[in-house]
Amino acid sequence: MPRKYVILLAVTLGVIALDQWTKYLVVRELTSQMQGQETLGGRLGAMFSAPPERGFDGLHYRSRRSIEVSDSFFRLRYAENPGAAWGLFRNLPPEQRGPLFHVVSLGAVVLIVFYFRKLSGSDPEEKWALWGLPLVLGGALGNYIDRLARGFVIDFLEAHWFDKAAWPSFNIADAAICVGVGLLLVDAFVRKEKPAPAPTKAA
């Protein structure tokens, strides 16, 4: 198998595994969804089965606690996002939101794979895209698994400034997408098309 596809599989599957593992820990430790489940299979079933109806707080899973990593700057707190990044389109009706996200997610996967196949895998200038595309792909698939399983994405990383301002909650998949897009922006500058040399005049 060519090296570039080894990178694609390793990074993509690594992001998906880390993303789903951290979400599992969040559901287990910060919500009551897995209470009473003594086996791993039971806990996974509680996480990936159809969620209960929303409660008074607007959440499907009951939040039990949050973890203050830094009192003034960062915490782990369970959140649900039925929309896209930063909650975009979350107010769309489910019958419209679901098909929209399926089309967008599958379209993104197709475009990423198409672009990745065009990379030679041996050009040093391609290194930014070689790592950036799998990060974006792994993040997109990690969140897509959430949408397929329960119709919303689990977020839990919350950066804030003394509770006066806060960045929208995010997860490992979101972070991988952001880093991947950053690498692709670098790639766009490094590998931007160079102007063709002017033709030489005949003597």
Side-chain angles (χ1 to χ4, degrees):
M1 179 183 293
R3 173 178 173 269
K4 70 174 186 177
Y5 290 113
V6 173
I7 293 175
L8 178 67
L9 288 175
V11 174
T12 300
L13 295 178
V15 169
I16 293 173
L18 181 60
D19 176 64
Q20 292 298 311
W21 178 62
T22 53
K23 289 170 178 173
Y24 165 82
L25 293 178
V26 165
V27 173
R28 188 187 70 183
E29 299 298 328
L30 303 186
T31 79
S32 59
Q33 180 65 11
M34 295 182 185
Q35 287 186 339
Q37 301 293 339
E38 300 297 331
T39 65
L40 176 61
R43 291 191 289 270
L44 290 175
M47 180 175 173
F48 287 101
S49 60
E53 293 295 322
R54 291 188 182 200
F56 67 93
D57 54 1
L59 300 175
H60 294 275
Y61 298 163
R62 303 280 68 76
S63 179
R64 292 191 294 122
R65 65 188 181 105
S66 61
I67 299 175
E68 296 291 337
V69 179
S70 172
D71 291 342
S72 304
F73 305 108
F74 193 74
R75 69 169 62 95
L76 304 179
R77 178 160 62 180
Y78 175 78
E80 298 173 358
N81 179 14
W86 302 295
L88 294 175
F89 308 119
R90 66 183 304 151
N91 293 323
L92 281 178
E95 61 272 14
Q96 297 178 19
R97 189 173 64 233
L100 172 65
F101 288 149
H102 290 317
V103 171
V104 171
S105 298
L106 294 176
V109 170
V110 171
L111 286 175
I112 291 169
V113 173
F114 173 77
Y115 186 30
F116 191 86
R117 289 185 62 188
K118 296 175 66 175
L119 299 177
S120 68
S122 57
D123 185 350
E125 289 190 346
E126 293 177 347
K127 62 183 178 181
W128 307 104
L130 195 64
W131 294 94
L133 287 170
L135 284 171
V136 176
L137 180 60
L141 290 175
N143 282 337
Y144 188 48
I145 290 171
D146 280 27
R147 299 191 193 284
L148 289 176
R150 65 190 73 87
F152 59 84
V153 172
I154 293 173
D155 290 330
F156 58 92
L157 299 169
E158 185 178 297
H160 62 98
W161 179 257
F162 295 96
D163 280 329
K164 296 179 180 178
W167 185 260
S169 296
F170 60 101
N171 55 43
I172 298 299
D174 297 330
I177 292 172
C178 288
V179 173
V181 169
L183 294 179
L184 293 177
L185 290 175
V186 174
D187 176 72
F189 284 102
V190 170
R191 294 199 299 143
K192 64 182 178 181
E193 188 173 336
K194 299 178 176 63
T200 57
K201 293 183 179 180

